[in-house]
Amino acid sequence: MKFQAILAPLAATLFHEASANTFRQRQVDNLTSRIEAETTIALQGVLNNFGPDGSEAPGASAEVLIASPSTENPNYYYTWTRDAALTLKMVVDEFLHGKGDLQPYIRSYVKAQAIVQTISNPSGALGSGRGLGEPKYYANLTRFNGDWGRPQRDGPALRATALITYSRYLLSTGIDSDGTEAGNIWPIIQNDLNYVAQYWNQTGFDLWEEVDGSSFFTTAAQYRALNEGAALGKQLQQEVSAYESQAPNVFCFLQTFWNGNYAVANINVKQSGFSRSGIDANTVLTSIAMFDPGASCDDTLFQPCSSRALANLKQYIDAFRTIYTINQGVSRSGTGVATGRYAEDVYFGGNPWYLTTLAVAEQLYDAIQQWSTVNTITIDDKSLAFWQSVYPSAQTGSHTKGGYSDFTKLTDAVLAFADGFVETALKYTPENGALSEQYSRENGTALSAHHLTWSYASFVTMRAARLAVTSDYGQVPSWGSPSNPKVPTTCTPGSVKGTYKPAVAAGAPSDAPSCTYLITFNLNATTSYGENMYLFGNSSDLGGWRVSDALAGSAADYSDARHLWTFTVELPAGAELEYKFLKKEPSGEVLYEAENRSLAVPDCGDESPGEQTMEEDWNGPVGSETE
Ligand SMILES: *[C@@H]1O[C@H](CO)[C@@H](O)[C@H](O)[C@H]1NC(C)=O
Ligand SMILES: *[C@@H]1O[C@H](CO)[C@@H](O)[C@H](O)[C@H]1NC(C)=O
Ligand SMILES: *[C@@H]1O[C@H](CO)[C@@H](O)[C@H](O)[C@H]1NC(C)=O
Ligand SMILES: *[C@@H]1O[C@H](CO)[C@@H](O)[C@H](O)[C@H]1NC(C)=O
Ligand SMILES: *[C@@H]1O[C@H](CO)[C@@H](O)[C@H](O)[C@H]1NC(C)=O
Ligand SMILES: *[C@@H]1O[C@H](CO)[C@@H](O)[C@H](O)[C@H]1NC(C)=O
Ligand SMILES: *[C@@H]1O[C@H](CO)[C@@H](O)[C@H](O)[C@H]1NC(C)=O
């Protein structure tokens, strides 16, 4: 167990006073055994989804982690940057806990991400950094041109965090004595951090790929990445001023999601008619993503044990107590129930998800770790309702460990409450232990994508958090969250333009174009409701003349005065291309222009990306086919 040394074991375990024979203890032991059995299945479930040899990932490129083997209804046979990064963070944490045989997967991930960063896609390319915000790629590491909620700006931040955790391990153990491995990984992290520093203050799609706005989860992930990235960069003697200058701005912005009662999942929402409460698993996943075992119960950092995060958690859980049939009969507050993404969800019938139910437990186990480290629980007006739901006689005030205080009773109550969510997830896990995305709100049967990588990863991280409080397993390393960070009095928007380079030493192709042009096509085209404009052409960036791969235009600036459709395409400098516009009718009929247009992208100047705008007029329709 040579890796154990860098983990801080939490000295006190919670059961020192409990008699091993009590009913509660037998229940706990029973759950522990079932968790261990499921963990073996879950970890293997993740590895099965790794290409090219994973049993569930046939045809996936080497090093690619697919989201699920499901190829229809829904088709998740893609690699998502977010899902892969969250899963790899789990893999790195397990590796740090002594699972040495996981290192090849981490190294494979590094290589795959070096390649992924260079794949130009509908969000853009590496030259401007915009391509890093693309949510997903085909399992054979090619671009996916279909309509999608893009960009999604959490991916680069989460990938940076997974790679930073691994790099810190490399540097702290001296295993990478000349710093070569960490040095090769840094350019990947640097591209991602540059992306965050440049684009954090622009909207994008949330982690559920539905809402175009600013997501609490994304903003928090960005803050953490900038913070720990600056620290790692300094250690590697790299330029980090952009990260240090933007981190306080992101931190300030993060505070604005709090509405007094809970963190609102999405703000700055662009879609009209958007009306949700904002109570969403997004925020529970945020507290886990922000968890630092070395932090105090800080509200501004939304630490799992903070009053804000606990109040938020209660609002979240209670939103599901009455809406699911399977929760009926367990609606007493203080009991674990099935939870989903958000109460208004209708995707696949709007069911509970395994990963969101397990996230509740994980936040609470994380919180217990933090209270046990600081030896104190402080109950205030904000967190009182949470506490009274798990421990009815709870009162505001501080409870310090030892003496006559309620500290142990409080943490025991939280542990039992958390265990109730794991019991719920296990109750609705099929006998073979396979974890899908969802389980039915009506009867608990597994639904939607099967063998979901993220479901499996969430089980393993939940288990590690639980073991950290019930055994001498050890904690995840601190990410160096600041203590008592000061929230700026006024929030400042911000952006630092970054430079982006293929991480060749880590495995990026050496001929990947790093110099690009952002070409904006302003197309005048009169359309009626349900008609959409597309662009396609003779390169892979332009869909290779395939209607199904044509790039969708945006009608965001369309008005009665100006019938404007816009396309922003990032193309390699010096390319010569042919293209034309298409109109898709609501019936599926495709109308296209007769004449092909041509374009010569200028050669690379001093600065990448160059920018150019083309003014165009729809010249169709003349041809027609049905898609
Ligand atoms: C846990 O308890 C259940 C119900 O009493 C029992 O069926 C199961 O075998 C136990 N599992 C383990 C691993 O002890
Ligand atoms: C990659 O996979 C997609 C989806 O299966 C397929 O359409 C495409 O042809 C593949 N591309 C290559 C280069 O194999
Ligand atoms: C940009 O930052 C400012 C200051 O925090 C904030 O008011 C604004 O909503 C942010 N916009 C986006 C899209 O992040
Ligand atoms: C369980 O509920 C789902 C809908 O949520 C339904 O499709 C399925 O048929 C039900 N299964 C059983 C065994 O009742
Ligand atoms: C696209 O067409 C242009 C002009 O005919 C040609 O020069 C170029 O090589 C073509 N590009 C590709 C990728 O086929
Ligand atoms: C012109 O466009 C069509 C697609 O509409 C394409 O099939 C054809 O190859 C193009 N012609 C040339 C000369 O590039
Ligand atoms: C597009 O429409 C605007 C406003 O009607 C007009 O000023 C502009 O000249 C048009 N562009 C082209 C290329 O026709």
Side-chain angles (χ1 to χ4, degrees):
M1 285 288 196
K2 65 183 168 188
F3 307 128
Q4 214 86 38
I6 68 159
L7 300 167
L10 195 59
T13 66
L14 283 165
F15 294 105
H16 55 286
E17 287 163 59
S19 146
N21 293 320
T22 61
F23 174 69
R24 166 77 183 128
Q25 186 61 53
R26 282 198 306 276
Q27 253 185 334
V28 168
D29 291 345
N30 178 290
L31 179 61
T32 303
S33 320
R34 284 181 290 138
I35 289 174
E36 289 310 298
E38 180 60 28
T39 298
T40 306
I41 295 168
L43 193 52
Q44 189 58 47
V46 167
L47 302 185
N48 289 348
N49 288 349
F50 261 103
D53 300 324
S55 62
E56 300 289 341
S61 292
E63 291 93 29
V64 166
L65 179 59
I66 56 164
S68 151
S70 177
T71 54
E72 56 184 311
N73 198 28
N75 182 0
Y76 284 6
Y77 207 79
Y78 296 89
T79 184
W80 264 267
T81 301
R82 166 185 43 260
D83 296 38
L86 287 168
T87 303
L88 260 292
K89 173 67 167 59
M90 175 280 281
V91 171
V92 170
D93 287 342
E94 289 296 300
F95 168 67
L96 297 184
H97 275 296
K99 296 205 173 77
D101 54 349
L102 293 177
Q103 195 170 27
Y105 292 95
I106 301 169
R107 290 181 164 155
S108 289
Y109 173 74
V110 168
K111 181 168 179 210
Q113 298 312 307
I115 296 167
V116 163
Q117 286 191 332
T118 65
I119 301 173
S120 81
N121 59 63
S123 296
L126 184 60
S128 69
R130 294 157 67 111
L132 300 173
E134 178 70 357
K136 68 175 192 180
Y137 301 81
Y138 284 125
N140 58 14
L141 283 191
T142 58
R143 57 186 277 153
F144 165 68
N145 280 355
D147 291 344
W148 209 252
R150 58 168 68 91
Q152 294 176 18
R153 304 190 195 278
D154 54 347
L158 297 169
R159 177 167 53 204
T161 284
L163 295 177
I164 289 165
T165 309
Y166 180 59
S167 297
R168 286 184 142 175
Y169 154 81
L170 290 174
L171 295 171
S172 69
T173 54
I175 255 187
D176 181 29
S177 54
D178 57 358
T180 311
E181 190 172 356
N184 290 348
I185 295 172
W186 173 256
I188 306 177
I189 298 172
Q190 189 174 39
N191 285 333
D192 285 339
L193 296 176
N194 287 356
Y195 178 85
V196 172
Q198 183 165 357
Y199 297 108
W200 70 268
N201 203 201
Q202 296 189 18
T203 55
F205 279 79
D206 71 327
L207 76 172
W208 309 134
E209 319 195 281
E210 294 171 346
V211 184
D212 190 6
S214 299
S215 157
F216 188 58
F217 177 79
T218 300
T219 304
Q222 291 173 332
Y223 173 69
R224 175 175 170 170
L226 287 178
N227 224 276
E228 58 185 343
L232 175 66
K234 276 186 188 156
Q235 207 178 334
L236 294 169
Q237 279 145 24
Q238 299 286 326
E239 173 60 42
V240 298
S241 58
Y243 319 146
E244 291 185 322
S245 77
Q246 294 312 299
N249 297 343
V250 180
F251 182 58
C252 194
F253 182 47
L254 187 66
Q255 310 309 314
T256 64
F257 291 76
W258 182 253
N259 73 358
N261 297 307
Y262 56 87
V264 177
N266 300 287
I267 62 174
N268 292 334
V269 175
K270 285 183 157 176
Q271 286 123 324
S272 57
F274 180 82
S275 68
R276 289 189 199 161
S277 69
I279 297 173
D280 190 314
N282 170 317
T283 62
V284 180
L285 293 165
T286 298
S287 82
I288 297 173
M290 291 292 270
F291 171 58
D292 186 332
S296 59
C297 300
D298 193 311
D299 271 346
T300 61
L301 290 168
F302 212 64
Q303 288 300 317
C305 65
S306 67
S307 293
R308 275 190 186 175
L310 294 172
N312 180 76
L313 184 68
K314 177 167 174 11
Q315 298 271 356
Y316 166 74
I317 296 165
D318 288 350
F320 298 94
R321 286 193 183 279
T322 56
I323 66 168
Y324 296 153
T325 307
I326 56 170
N327 285 345
Q328 278 163 20
V330 282
S331 53
R332 192 173 61 83
S333 72
T335 313
V337 286
T339 68
R341 301 192 302 177
Y342 49 90
E344 303 90 340
D345 197 1
V346 293
Y347 178 62
F348 263 84
N351 294 290
W353 286 39
Y354 294 101
L355 74 92
T356 60
T357 308
L358 294 167
V360 174
E362 184 168 338
Q363 179 187 331
L364 294 170
Y365 298 139
D366 286 346
I368 298 171
Q369 291 181 55
Q370 297 181 309
W371 292 315
S372 303
T373 302
V374 297
N375 282 323
T376 301
I377 293 171
T378 302
I379 301 178
D380 60 17
D381 290 342
K382 220 179 306 161
S383 61
L384 184 61
F386 163 82
W387 281 107
Q388 290 185 336
S389 73
V390 298
Y391 191 76
S393 62
Q395 296 298 328
T396 55
S398 278
H399 304 270
T400 301
K401 198 185 217 159
Y404 295 103
S405 96
D406 278 349
F407 182 91
T408 305
K409 286 178 186 159
L410 291 169
T411 52
D412 278 356
V414 172
L415 185 75
F417 185 45
D419 281 356
F421 290 86
V422 182
E423 291 277 9
T424 304
L426 285 174
K427 177 174 175 185
Y428 299 118
T429 297
E431 215 149 296
N432 65 4
L435 292 181
S436 298
E437 181 182 71
Q438 311 180 20
Y439 51 105
S440 163
R441 62 193 291 159
E442 304 296 337
N443 56 45
T445 55
L447 290 176
S448 187
H450 59 285
H451 294 310
L452 189 82
T453 302
W454 191 358
S455 293
Y456 286 131
S458 74
F459 197 92
V460 179
T461 54
M462 173 283 295
R463 177 255 192 181
R466 185 174 185 272
L467 281 186
V469 291
T470 57
S471 75
D472 59 2
Y473 188 66
Q475 298 177 290
V476 295
S478 163
W479 57 269
S481 66
S483 54
N484 301 315
K486 242 180 82 111
V487 181
T489 42
T490 51
C491 290
T492 314
S495 171
V496 177
K497 188 167 189 278
T499 56
Y500 302 88
K501 295 268 176 295
V504 175
S510 53
D511 58 352
S514 63
C515 187
T516 57
Y517 257 76
L518 276 172
I519 314 262
T520 301
F521 298 88
N522 288 331
L523 173 70
N524 286 340
T526 302
T527 49
S528 46
Y529 187 78
E531 290 182 327
N532 288 298
M533 299 306 300
Y534 289 79
L535 179 162
F536 76 165
N538 77 335
S539 76
S540 62
D541 290 324
L542 301 181
W545 293 129
R546 286 180 305 276
V547 171
S548 58
D549 278 335
L551 307 176
S554 161
D557 297 318
Y558 192 101
S559 66
D560 287 344
R562 177 100 203 250
H563 297 179
L564 180 65
W565 283 83
T566 55
F567 302 80
T568 301
V569 185
E570 189 165 350
L571 298 167
E576 308 227 334
L577 300 161
E578 302 226 349
Y579 67 100
K580 65 173 58 162
F581 296 100
L582 302 169
K583 186 189 277 185
K584 289 195 193 174
E585 296 293 329
S587 64
E589 192 188 5
V590 180
L591 308 173
Y592 55 94
E593 298 176 313
E595 300 285 307
N596 294 357
R597 301 166 186 260
S598 65
L599 167 70
V601 182
D603 275 325
C604 203
D606 291 341
E607 211 168 293
S608 177
E611 292 189 21
Q612 186 174 315
T613 301
M614 317 271 289
E615 299 294 336
E616 317 252 25
D617 222 3
W618 164 238
N619 229 345
V622 289
S624 141
E625 63 186 76
T626 301
E627 203 176 0

